[in-house]
Amino acid sequence: MTQNDSTPQFIKLTDEQVRARKRRNIAIACGLLLFIATVYSITVSRMHANNEARKAAEAAENAAVGAVPSTAPAVEAPAVEVTPAERP
């Protein structure tokens, strides 16, 4: 085995090939950004539609029950820990 066999052989790209690679990379980046923007916009619009549907369903349920809708956010009761000695 000689010294030349162990060194890698690299291909020298022409200026035209380098420009073509750069254009291809830019096109891929633009496509990826377009895909991300599309997924984001669809997600936000669906979340908004689901939120509106939930509000409408809650309003209909409250109207059927006769309850007055509350503007205060729902608050959960704090969790209480029971030690084994306190259990019946």
Side-chain angles (χ1 to χ4, degrees), residues 75-83 86:
V75 178
E76 293 183 23
V80 177
E81 286 189 36
V82 177
T83 61
E86 296 175 350

Short mmCIF file of all heavy atoms in Angstrom, two decimals, residues 75-83 86:
data_model
loop_
_atom_site.label_atom_id
_atom_site.label_comp_id
_atom_site.label_asym_id
_atom_site.label_seq_id
_atom_site.Cartn_x
_atom_site.Cartn_y
_atom_site.Cartn_z
N VAL A 75 -61.06 27.78 38.84
CA VAL A 75 -59.95 27.52 39.76
C VAL A 75 -60.18 26.16 40.38
O VAL A 75 -61.26 25.86 40.89
CB VAL A 75 -59.88 28.61 40.86
CG1 VAL A 75 -58.76 28.31 41.83
CG2 VAL A 75 -59.72 29.97 40.25
N GLU A 76 -59.16 25.34 40.34
CA GLU A 76 -59.26 24.01 40.93
C GLU A 76 -58.98 24.09 42.42
O GLU A 76 -58.19 24.92 42.88
CB GLU A 76 -58.27 23.06 40.27
CG GLU A 76 -58.58 22.78 38.82
CD GLU A 76 -57.60 21.79 38.23
OE1 GLU A 76 -57.00 21.02 39.00
OE2 GLU A 76 -57.46 21.79 37.02
N ALA A 77 -59.61 23.21 43.19
CA ALA A 77 -59.36 23.15 44.62
C ALA A 77 -57.96 22.58 44.84
O ALA A 77 -57.51 21.70 44.10
CB ALA A 77 -60.40 22.27 45.29
N PRO A 78 -57.26 23.09 45.85
CA PRO A 78 -55.92 22.58 46.09
C PRO A 78 -55.98 21.12 46.55
O PRO A 78 -56.91 20.69 47.23
CB PRO A 78 -55.38 23.48 47.20
CG PRO A 78 -56.57 24.09 47.83
CD PRO A 78 -57.63 24.13 46.78
N ALA A 79 -54.99 20.38 46.15
CA ALA A 79 -54.93 18.96 46.52
C ALA A 79 -54.52 18.85 47.99
O ALA A 79 -53.67 19.58 48.47
CB ALA A 79 -53.92 18.25 45.65
N VAL A 80 -55.16 17.93 48.70
CA VAL A 80 -54.86 17.72 50.10
C VAL A 80 -54.25 16.34 50.23
O VAL A 80 -54.81 15.34 49.78
CB VAL A 80 -56.15 17.81 50.96
CG1 VAL A 80 -55.85 17.52 52.42
CG2 VAL A 80 -56.80 19.16 50.78
N GLU A 81 -53.08 16.30 50.85
CA GLU A 81 -52.43 15.02 51.05
C GLU A 81 -52.91 14.39 52.35
O GLU A 81 -53.05 15.07 53.37
CB GLU A 81 -50.91 15.20 51.12
CG GLU A 81 -50.28 15.49 49.79
CD GLU A 81 -48.78 15.44 49.87
OE1 GLU A 81 -48.23 14.61 50.62
OE2 GLU A 81 -48.16 16.24 49.16
N VAL A 82 -53.18 13.11 52.28
CA VAL A 82 -53.62 12.38 53.47
C VAL A 82 -52.53 11.39 53.81
O VAL A 82 -52.15 10.55 52.99
CB VAL A 82 -54.96 11.65 53.20
CG1 VAL A 82 -55.38 10.85 54.41
CG2 VAL A 82 -56.02 12.66 52.81
N THR A 83 -52.01 11.50 55.01
CA THR A 83 -50.98 10.58 55.46
C THR A 83 -51.62 9.25 55.85
O THR A 83 -52.82 9.20 56.16
CB THR A 83 -50.19 11.17 56.64
OG1 THR A 83 -51.10 11.39 57.71
CG2 THR A 83 -49.52 12.48 56.24
N GLU A 86 -53.82 9.22 58.98
CA GLU A 86 -55.10 9.91 58.97
C GLU A 86 -56.19 9.13 58.23
O GLU A 86 -57.34 9.47 58.30
CB GLU A 86 -54.94 11.28 58.29
CG GLU A 86 -54.03 12.22 59.04
CD GLU A 86 -53.80 13.51 58.28
OE1 GLU A 86 -54.20 13.59 57.09
OE2 GLU A 86 -53.21 14.43 58.84
#
